Every structure is written in structure tokens, then in C-alpha cells.
Amino acid sequence: MRILVIGSGGREHALTWKITQSELVDKLFCAPGNGGISQVAECVDIKADNIPQLLDFARREKIDLTVVGPEAALAAGLSDEFTKYGLKVFGPLKLAAKLEGSKVFAKELMAKYNVPTADFRVFDNPGEAIRYIEKIGAPCVVKADGLAQGKGVVVAQTVDEAKKAVSAMMQEKIFGTAGNKVIIEECLQGQEASILVFTDSKEIIPLVSSQDHKRVFDNDQGANTGGMGAYSPAPVVTPGLFKEIMEKVIYRTVDGLVREGIIYKGVLYAGIMLTKEGPKALEFNVRFGDPETQAILPRLKSDLLQVMLATSDDKLNKFSKTGVLDWETRACVCVVCAAGGYPGSYEKAKVISGLEEAAQLKDLVVFHAGTKKSAAKYLTNGGRVLGVTGLGNTIKEAIEKTYQAVGKISFEGMHYRRDIGRKAVVSS
Ligand code: AMP
Ligand code: GLY
């Protein structure tokens, strides 16, 4: 089969790395890909959101399955366009992608179908939003309705901070039309976990649990990032909690969509806060998580491509009869090595050293997020540069293995968190 993966981050390196292990693959492309991805796939210079060019390429190259990494193209209707031309896609249609593309849509769906989530109100008028914040006080959470590259959520500790967020989103329009509406919601407390499932809306097959680390510095300090590391499993999600999340969040959401006439096909990602009153959904993503995917896929023993094909072909029920997903019991940890200054401004084109030494370690893989190949060298080419990923019999062992590999890698300005996975050691 001829497969195209869309995207250029660590998630897409993990996806291509795993897909290439399938015996069904004859040829693997990635658009646009990165330095590391070029080791396992042919990179094609088309941006991940350029739907017309991606469509042309897929038609010309007779692609059998296109796997979409990032959300923007899904929200803009990539799957709808491809489907029109008879091309198979792994990723939901535009209407279903609204679950991530519009937080108002997601929250209203959750309210209607009794999915536990933070109490909220929707506003399309900044004055009313500000009066509401004055009434409920802080802390509270302000969310832009639309896509804002992961920056559209402000967990405000003071009334002033919340009001500023409203005016930045609704009046200064820092996220453009994504801020036409905002949600003000209750601030939840607890540990977070990511639960991902494959679904074709008839069948749901869960992946293993994982946890991201959003803040830039150790002990969850500093600015929010795209994710500084992840681990799987998240022991805080006990089997009982997993079942509760599946029943109250995942099934109710997928069934709710079906009742609204919306068929969801692809991977569905629920961000969950484990509160004292039980698990509550924070958000949905209509794609794999980054960096969760890097910590999840090395644990998957089954053929990823087969499950993706079954999802796209509405045959997940048959797939689950022949064998649900087979997982490593070992734990996996991914530590992100970031460019100096990230998540603020940073420089590119720094030479990365130590990649070969790190790769020689057993049960260790270095996923590239922002790199570029230049002759025999890899150069930095983004904020998140690498996702160093290791397996171990326990989380503790996986942590030690991964940091041993991180210690071999360097580039000017490199920084990383030193506490990835620590919460799992404390709670296991
Ligand atoms: P989202 O983009 O909705 O995942 O939000 C990004 C991050 O904001 C989440 O991972 C949480 O850490 C935080 N967050 C979102 N909603 C809430 C909430 N209601 N209470 C507390 N934290 C939240
Ligand atoms: N790790 C968070 C995300 O992929 O949105």
C-alpha cells in the first residue's frame, strides 16, 4: 500500500516510525516531514494545511491511505475533500472535527449528553463576559472558541487576568475570529490524563492512558508549551477510572455525535481532569496528541496501519473481533529537548550532536520534532526539537533509560524538563 502521513512534528515521526513497521506498506510519504522522518519516509515539500496541493499529490501518487497528524487541515475539511475524490483518509470529516475546532460546540454537546465537564457559560459580547467574571471571581478559565494553536486557554488566577484574557481574545482579536466567542468556566483541580480511542462511531477501541507535561519548567512551573514530555501508562488512571472515563466521557460523546447525525471516524483524544468528584472532560482533540503519541506508540505491538484502515473502512467491529490491540506491559517515557528560549522566540540551525550514541541504547528511540537534515548532520529547525523516548519494565526504569540518552545529546541552548514521569512514580 501507498501511505501518506501529513505533518512535521514528533507525533508524525512516531506515526511514520510505527506505520513503516507494517508489512502492508510498500511506500510511505510524509508532507512536509522533518529531518528524522526522512529516515523512514520520503518527505514531500507540501505544507500540512495546503489541502489542494495535498489532494493533487495523493491523486497523482495513488495514495491508499492518508493519515492526518495536525488538526488544522481536518477542521478545514481535508477529509471531506479527499473523500469526494474517493481517497481514503484517517481523520474525521469537518463536521466531526468541530469537536476540537469549536470549544463551544464541544461544551454544548457535553452539556446536552451529560458528559461530566467544568460548569461554563458562552459569551459573544465582551462586556457581558467581563461582568460574569466579576460575579464569579477567580480562579476561572477563559477559552477562545476556535483553534488558537494550543494558546487559546487562560487559567486565570485573578479577576484582572481573566478580564485581560477576554479583551485580548474578543477585542484585540489576538486569535482572529477564533475569539468571536469565549467560554468562561469553572477552574478544576486535579491531575490530568489523556485518553485516546480509535472509533468509527460503531466500535470504540481505547489506546493506553498517558500524561502530558504542558509547562516549560520542572514542577509544572512557567509558561505553557506544546508539551515538554509524556509517559504511558498514567497509573493515576486506575482500571476503575478508565472504565468510568470510557462510559461517561467517550461513549456519551461518540453516541451524542451520532444522535446529532455526525459520524466520527478517526482517533478521538479526551483531555481529562481527575477531580475529587470524578473524571471531567477538559477538551477533545480530533487527532493524536503530541507528545503523547511518542509515549504510546512504542508500546503498541499490533499493526497500527491495520487498525487505521479498519477505522476508515467502518470495520473496527471486525478488527476488534479478530484481536483487540496488543500492548507492551512495559512503560514508556518521552522527554522533549527544546530550543533555547522556547516557548518564546528561539534560534534555529544549531548542530545536534550525540544522536547516534543515544540511538545505540536498547529500547530507545529519538523522535525528531523540529529538525532538518543537512548533509550528514541534523540541525534544529523548531521549538520542540527532539522527543527522546525509552521503554522500561517500570516507569522508574523508563525514566532512567530516557534521561541517560538525553545526557548524550546536545545542541546550543538545549533545555528540557528533568521531572518527566515523576508524578507517575509518586502515584504508582
Ligand atoms: P485545553 O486546550 O482545553 O486542553 O486546555 C489547555 C490546558 O488548560 C489543559 O490541559 C488544562 O491544563 C487547562 N485547563 C483547561 N480547562 C480547564 C479547567 N476548566 N480548569 C482547570 N484547568 C483547565
Ligand atoms: N498534548 C496535547 C495535545 O496534543 O494537544
Side-chain angles (χ1 to χ4, degrees), residues 103 141 143 153 185-188 192 214 273 282-283:
K103 288 192 192 316
V141 182
K143 298 184 171 184
V153 174
E185 69 178 36
E186 169 199 12
C187 186
L188 301 175
E192 283 182 51
K214 292 241 185 233
M273 184 78 91
L282 289 172
E283 59 151 355

Side-chain angles (χ1 to χ4, degrees), residues 152-398:
V153 174
V154 175
V155 180
Q157 299 304 332
T158 63
V159 165
D160 198 42
E161 206 186 325
K163 285 164 109 174
K164 282 202 177 109
V166 166
S167 88
M169 290 175 195
M170 301 189 89
Q171 287 161 324
E172 291 154 41
K173 297 269 179 214
I174 56 168
F175 305 125
T177 55
N180 285 357
K181 287 185 189 174
V182 300
I183 294 166
I184 315 279
E185 69 178 36
E186 169 199 12
C187 186
L188 301 175
Q189 307 289 340
Q191 270 210 59
E192 283 182 51
S194 307
I195 301 296
L196 283 75
V197 302
F198 291 110
T199 184
D200 56 9
S201 288
K202 289 182 289 196
E203 186 75 23
I204 296 177
I205 303 184
L207 287 80
V208 284
S209 65
S210 59
Q211 197 175 63
D212 187 7
H213 299 64
K214 292 241 185 233
R215 303 296 192 110
V216 64
F217 300 130
D218 288 5
N219 302 314
D220 297 328
Q221 302 295 308
N224 259 321
T225 68
M228 293 297 287
Y231 61 89
S232 172
V236 64
V237 185
T238 58
L241 273 175
F242 203 108
K243 195 161 168 265
E244 191 179 347
I245 294 166
M246 289 299 289
E247 279 165 11
K248 295 189 177 161
V249 178
I250 303 290
Y251 282 99
R252 287 182 194 175
T253 300
V254 174
D255 290 346
L257 283 171
V258 170
R259 287 206 226 162
E260 299 292 312
I262 298 172
I263 299 300
Y264 189 102
K265 286 205 289 184
V267 67
L268 175 63
Y269 164 140
I272 305 285
M273 184 78 91
L274 301 166
T275 74
K276 282 203 189 99
E277 299 101 66
K280 296 193 180 185
L282 289 172
E283 59 151 355
F284 291 106
N285 295 320
V286 298
R287 45 154 180 94
F288 285 96
D290 190 341
E292 288 94 327
T293 306
Q294 292 88 308
I296 290 174
L297 291 185
R299 299 188 60 212
L300 180 63
K301 292 204 247 172
S302 314
D303 184 326
L304 175 65
L305 187 54
Q306 277 187 21
V307 67
M308 286 175 157
L309 285 165
T311 306
S312 303
D313 290 339
D314 292 325
K315 288 191 178 136
L316 258 192
N317 56 345
K318 287 197 187 125
F319 185 91
S320 67
K321 271 183 206 126
T322 49
V324 210
L325 298 177
D326 196 10
W327 296 99
E328 278 272 1
T329 50
R330 288 185 297 170
C332 191
V333 170
C334 168
V335 174
V336 169
C337 300
Y342 175 82
S345 59
Y346 52 82
E347 290 177 9
K348 294 183 182 176
K350 307 290 179 199
V351 176
I352 306 170
S353 61
L355 286 170
E356 277 167 22
E357 289 89 320
Q360 271 159 18
L361 293 173
K362 203 166 159 272
D363 297 322
L364 194 288
V365 45
V366 180
F367 293 121
H368 292 218
T371 72
K372 195 163 90 175
K373 196 150 189 234
S374 167
K377 289 185 188 138
Y378 289 100
L379 306 179
T380 69
N381 195 36
R384 289 190 291 174
V385 176
L386 301 168
V388 181
T389 307
L391 284 162
N393 288 325
T394 58
I395 288 260
K396 194 161 170 279
E397 221 181 275

